Every structure is written in structure tokens, then in C-alpha cells.
Amino acid sequence: MSIPQFMRFVDIRTKFTSMLPVCIGVLYALYYFNSFNFLNTLIFFIATVLLDFTTTAINVLVDYQTASVNSLERESNIMGRENIPEKLVIYYIFGMLLLYFILGFILVARTDLALLPLGIISAIIAVTYTYGPIALSRMPLGELFSGPPLGLGIIFISIFVNYREELILSLSFQDNTFLLLGDWLMILIIIFVSLPQVLLISNIVLANNICDLEQDVGNHRFTLVYHLGKEKSIRLYNWLTYGSYVTLALPILFGWLPRIMLLIYPTLIFVHRQVKLFNQKQDKSETFITSVKSFLAFTLVEIILFVIAILWTTF
């Protein structure tokens, strides 16, 4: 498989939902703790992208295998369209998972044992999201197991691997006992700082499921949208979008985020237009992109403002 073909296979265009939260976590560690570890960040970034690639690869493989032979779905799948052998895809999946765990163990050795269960849980979610007898994406759990791991999980670990001077979370063993210690206030702060990302990433999955409702039901995939109904799901989509701006206010108010983050709120004008477009029509090829645009408008401005705040405090 050539590099361009591999990039199409893992759909590199969609990886911003894992890459950008890493940036936010690193920038937060720089701003709040004045701490940055380049090697830890690089290892974690590569491991995160590898796990995201693995999730996409499993999803493509499962969709290809479950499609009827000679069906339009199989022909439109990149494996059928570009004649990529199943065996090769399986080798890539296991190879990427193996490399993910190798990098993870290196990172655990460089930080703390508390990172190990976090990494294992992330891998389990990534694999079972589309694979297995009870795939998470086929149940009303897709949003729950996408937003929190990608939003909160990635940001938390990005901060964790960069700030080791004081305790955020630590796990140790002695004989038959284990000791888990953590700074509950710091963990709570990270949760509130991450909430906008959690809501916006969950919203991308929700928008995708709204657009694919009929197709999903035909493929026996009963997502949250199926259980709520389309009208209530669109209402939830609106709440999650605007809720990201509401939840941003608390960390700014308590000084957990710099006051310059208030400049994110003007993006609400653009985001409101995107929400209106999606409310009018829910189509995968035309309006699904509005959820992505809302996420990018919020997140890219947040990253830019973080950089400005860090430069301001530095110089």
C-alpha cells in the first residue's frame, strides 16, 4: 500500500478530532504550568494518531466484510475500490496496535504507571467501537465513547505527560496492595477545560448518525438517533453546540483559562449559521460538514488564543 493510498485508507482528513485536542492539552500545560516535554509529547502524539488510524482501519474492514458480495457498498468501500487485500489490512491493524502499545509502554516508563490503564482503556474503546458482536457504534453509545475519550482523555493525557513536577495522578503497587493518588481539584479543572471539546466532538458523531439514520437502520445499526428520533436528535445537536460555549464560561470565570478566551464567543455568529443550515437539512454530502466547521471554528480559535496568551506571559 503506497503512502497516498494509506492516507486515503485511514481518511487522514478526519484526524483533526484527535490531533487538535493534543495541541490544546500541550498548550494548556504550557500556559497553566509553564511545563513542556518535547519527547513525551511527540511519543503521545504518534501513539494517538496510530490509535485513530487503527479505529478507522477496523471500521473500513468491518464495513467491507459485512457488505454483500458485489454490492454497491463493497464497491464504494476503499478496499473494494482500490483492490486492497483483507489480509494486508489485518496486518496493518495489528502492526499499528503493536506500535501503539510499544510507544505507550515507553511513555509509562517515562511518566507514571497511572498512564497504563488509561492507555489500555483507550485501545479497548478504539477496537470495540466498530468491531465485535456488540460494537459501540451500533448502539446508542457512539457519542459517549467518542467525545469523552477524544476530548477529555486526550487533553488530560497531553497535560499529564507534560507536567510531572507535582502530582496529578499516580499509581503504585506494594505487595498485594495498590495506591492511586490524585489531585482531585486539578482533575476537575481539566474536565471543565475539556468539556467544550467533549461536546463538539460528540456532536460530529451525532450529526453523522442523524444523516445516516435510514442507512444505519437498514444495516441493523441502532444508534442514539434511532432511539431518540430525528427531531429530538436535532434538538440535542443544537444543545450540544451551544452548550460548548456555555461550559467555556466557567473555566474562564474561575481563572482556569485566560480571559482572552472570551474572544472565542464571536465565533458563535458563524457557528449559529452552521446550526441553522443543519436544522434545515440533514444530508451527509451537503450539511454534515457544518458540524465539522463548528468544531474547527471553536477549536482553532482556542488554539490561536492559547498561543497569544502564552507569548504574552512569556514576553
Side-chain angles (χ1 to χ4, degrees):
M1 196 185 304
S2 65
I3 292 176
Q5 189 179 42
F6 177 77
M7 292 301 158
R8 291 194 298 274
F9 174 73
V10 297
D11 199 0
I12 191 67
R13 300 167 302 171
T14 64
K15 300 306 165 230
F16 54 81
T17 53
S18 59
M19 295 178 183
L20 294 182
V22 173
C23 296
I24 290 175
V26 171
L27 290 170
Y28 190 78
L30 264 170
Y31 170 77
Y32 202 86
F33 301 115
N34 194 29
S35 180
F36 175 67
N37 188 302
F38 174 77
L39 185 55
N40 285 356
T41 298
L42 180 62
I43 293 171
F44 177 62
F45 182 82
I46 295 172
T48 300
V49 172
L50 279 171
L51 193 59
D52 201 344
F53 284 176
T54 303
T55 305
T56 303
I58 294 172
N59 183 52
V60 171
L61 177 63
V62 170
D63 284 350
Y64 182 79
Q65 290 177 334
T66 54
S68 301
V69 179
N70 299 323
S71 71
L72 183 61
E73 280 186 36
R74 176 165 282 205
E75 291 174 8
S76 61
N77 186 292
I78 188 170
M79 288 178 61
R81 196 170 64 245
E82 301 197 16
N83 297 315
I84 302 173
E86 287 186 47
K87 187 175 289 187
L88 179 62
V89 172
I90 293 170
Y91 285 151
Y92 269 96
I93 289 171
F94 278 103
M96 289 187 293
L97 268 179
L98 178 61
L99 187 53
Y100 165 79
F101 277 109
I102 291 172
L103 292 174
F105 283 124
I106 293 172
L107 207 50
V108 168
R110 291 179 54 83
T111 57
D112 190 275
L113 199 57
L115 189 60
L116 182 60
L118 295 177
I120 292 173
I121 291 169
S122 298
I124 291 171
I125 292 173
V127 172
T128 59
Y129 191 79
T130 53
Y131 179 77
I134 313 178
L136 298 173
S137 63
R138 292 180 176 271
M139 299 187 291
L141 297 172
E143 292 78 7
L144 180 63
F145 284 96
S146 55
L150 289 172
L152 172 59
I154 289 178
I155 291 175
F156 177 84
I157 297 176
S158 298
I159 297 169
F160 181 86
V161 301
N162 275 286
Y163 183 62
R164 304 303 307 151
E165 293 179 12
E166 291 185 19
L167 179 69
I168 295 179
L169 195 65
S170 179
L171 176 65
S172 60
F173 287 87
Q174 186 175 1
D175 297 328
N176 296 327
T177 62
F178 71 89
L179 185 63
L180 181 64
L181 297 174
D183 184 337
W184 67 267
L185 180 58
M186 193 63 244
I187 293 171
L188 189 65
I189 289 172
I190 294 172
I191 289 172
F192 276 104
V193 168
S194 305
L195 266 180
Q197 294 299 310
V198 171
L199 298 181
L200 289 169
I201 292 172
S202 295
N203 226 16
I204 292 174
V205 178
L206 179 62
N208 180 67
N209 290 340
I210 290 172
C211 294
D212 286 346
L213 177 58
E214 293 180 7
Q215 181 182 337
D216 283 345
V217 173
N219 290 327
H220 307 289
R221 185 181 293 160
F222 303 105
T223 62
L224 181 63
V225 179
Y226 171 81
H227 293 276
L228 286 180
K230 199 166 187 178
E231 186 177 334
K232 288 183 179 178
S233 297
I234 294 170
R235 203 177 305 156
L236 176 61
Y237 173 86
N238 293 347
W239 290 345
L240 290 176
T241 304
Y242 298 126
S244 62
Y245 288 85
V246 174
T247 56
L248 178 69
L250 191 64
I252 295 176
L253 180 64
F254 282 96
W256 302 333
L257 284 174
R259 292 296 172 90
I260 196 173
M261 287 297 171
L262 289 169
L263 292 178
I264 288 179
Y265 285 97
T267 64
L268 193 53
I269 299 170
F270 171 80
V271 169
H272 178 64
R273 291 185 192 138
Q274 303 307 307
V275 171
K276 284 178 67 177
L277 288 172
F278 189 79
N279 287 344
Q280 291 167 5
K281 186 177 183 180
Q282 301 81 46
D283 183 85
K284 190 67 172 286
S285 60
E286 293 182 34
T287 58
F288 164 70
I289 192 67
T290 58
S291 63
V292 177
K293 288 180 178 178
S294 295
F295 169 80
L296 290 175
F298 186 103
T299 306
L300 291 176
V301 172
E302 183 177 10
I303 289 172
I304 291 168
L305 294 176
F306 255 132
V307 172
I308 293 171
I310 291 166
L311 292 175
W312 182 265
T313 55
T314 302
F315 300 104

